[in-house]
Amino acid sequence: MADSVRFQNISANTRASSMESTRADEEKLLATETRNTNSIFETNNEVAQSPLMESNRPGHTKTFSQHFSEWRHLKVLLGTSIAWFALDVAFYGINLNSAVVIDAIGFAGNLYQDKPSHFIIRNCVGNIIINILGSVPGYWITVFTIERLGRKTIQLMGFGVLAVLYVILGFAYNQILAKSTGAFIFLFSLAQLFQNFGPNVTTFVIPGEVFPTRFRSTAHGISAASGKLGAIVAQGGFLQLTNIGGHNAWIDHLLQVFALFMCIGFLATLWIPETKGKSLEEISEE
């Protein structure tokens, strides 16, 4: 009997010890899980409160001023606006006053001596020559090469070539006309070609691609308005200087001024990213 009682006591003590050990293990496991859960919650709260997550929440979007307060975005808007402004100073300065160039190359006729029909025909022929030799081919070259060469490449090339051509036409204007009208027509038509195989196309293509969707129309409008400001400056300002010192006597200086604006457009284009081969989402980082 004594052995039986002793055995029962040992068994009871063993069970009690086992239960206490199990209870302690369960408490340790519960404490570990609680700490892990709290750690996960704390991490999630820190991530949720971070600026990055704050800006990526579905209900949170940057305003126009917030987006363009960052230099990396602002410089793109400045690049498209200044480039368009610089182009239109020269483009409208020349094309809205093509009669000056047509007169210089001898196609204008004489309004007071010629028949009206003869005067109109000569001016039309002069415009047709300039457009067929330069403007129309320039557009079509851009159509077929813009995806291969890229928008930025074409714009930089256009501004660069135009700057060189306007320097030549500006500083050697009288000498070229005195020696060869054909040479002047060729150089001027080449300038027309590189206007359209260049910034006259890309300055309105690039703003339609390079900005985020929610700001694209506004940013494109600002860029276009800058271009029209350039047209006003050319028409209302520079072209009033054409006849300083005599009939068309200041054209050479105007061409020199236009060369300067082409250099400005070239430099502004360096701020613009290339959009060739990219989707709108990739470009705008959306």
Side-chain angles (χ1 to χ4, degrees):
M1 285 295 291
D3 292 339
S4 177
V5 172
R6 192 180 304 112
F7 177 77
Q8 290 177 357
N9 289 336
I10 292 172
S11 297
N13 291 335
T14 302
R15 285 196 299 269
S17 175
S18 177
M19 290 177 64
E20 289 177 1
S21 176
T22 301
R23 191 179 300 113
D25 291 340
E26 289 177 350
E27 289 177 354
K28 288 181 181 179
L29 180 62
L30 181 61
T32 302
E33 290 178 349
T34 302
R35 285 197 299 272
N36 291 339
T37 302
N38 291 337
S39 176
I40 292 172
F41 283 138
E42 290 173 0
T43 302
N44 288 341
N45 288 334
E46 291 175 1
V47 172
Q49 293 172 4
S50 68
L52 178 61
M53 290 300 295
E54 191 72 23
S55 63
N56 287 335
R57 286 181 181 177
H60 182 90
T61 56
K62 290 183 178 180
T63 63
F64 183 90
S65 59
Q66 288 174 334
H67 181 78
F68 288 102
S69 64
E70 299 179 27
W71 171 246
R72 66 191 182 101
H73 299 309
L74 178 61
K75 70 178 182 179
V76 178
L77 180 59
L78 290 174
T80 57
S81 300
I82 294 172
W84 206 333
F85 173 84
L87 167 73
D88 280 4
V89 169
F91 181 82
Y92 286 99
I94 290 176
N95 288 282
L96 288 181
N97 296 273
S98 58
V100 175
V101 178
I102 292 172
D103 181 38
I105 64 178
F107 275 90
N110 191 308
L111 180 62
Y112 302 103
Q113 297 179 2
D114 295 340
K115 293 180 181 180
S117 58
H118 180 68
F119 177 80
I120 293 172
I121 290 172
R122 286 184 63 84
N123 275 272
C124 288
V125 169
N127 275 293
I128 290 172
I129 290 173
I130 291 172
N131 282 280
I132 289 178
L133 292 178
S135 300
V136 175
Y139 270 120
W140 282 106
I141 294 172
T142 302
V143 168
F144 290 113
T145 61
I146 193 167
E147 288 298 333
R148 297 179 183 178
L149 299 178
R151 288 81 163 142
K152 183 176 181 178
T153 300
I154 291 176
Q155 185 160 306
L156 285 171
M157 176 185 62
F159 274 128
V161 173
L162 285 170
V164 173
L165 289 173
Y166 287 147
V167 165
I168 295 172
L169 288 170
F171 286 94
Y173 177 81
N174 294 311
Q175 295 90 322
I176 294 172
L177 280 178
K179 292 184 177 180
S180 175
T181 301
F184 183 88
I185 295 175
F186 171 77
L187 291 172
F188 185 79
S189 298
L190 197 61
Q192 295 292 97
L193 186 145
F194 278 99
Q195 276 186 343
N196 294 322
F197 179 38
N200 193 40
V201 172
T202 55
T203 48
F204 70 81
V205 171
I206 292 174
E209 298 177 339
V210 79
F211 299 110
T213 302
R214 61 187 179 277
F215 305 133
R216 189 170 297 134
S217 60
T218 303
H220 196 291
I222 292 172
S223 302
S226 300
K228 301 307 159 277
L229 179 61
I232 293 172
V233 169
Q235 187 65 22
F238 291 135
L239 267 299
Q240 304 303 316
L241 308 175
T242 303
N243 294 319
I244 291 179
H247 181 62
N248 293 339
W250 223 70
I251 291 181
D252 54 343
H253 299 299
L254 283 179
L255 290 169
Q256 295 166 15
V257 171
F258 295 158
L260 174 62
F261 275 94
M262 295 303 96
C263 293
I264 293 173
F266 182 94
L267 295 175
T269 303
L270 298 176
W271 282 341
I272 303 172
E274 178 57 74
T275 60
K276 179 186 70 170
K278 297 181 181 179
S279 66
L280 295 179
E281 291 76 15
E282 290 175 322
I283 297 167
S284 58
E285 300 178 358
E286 292 181 334

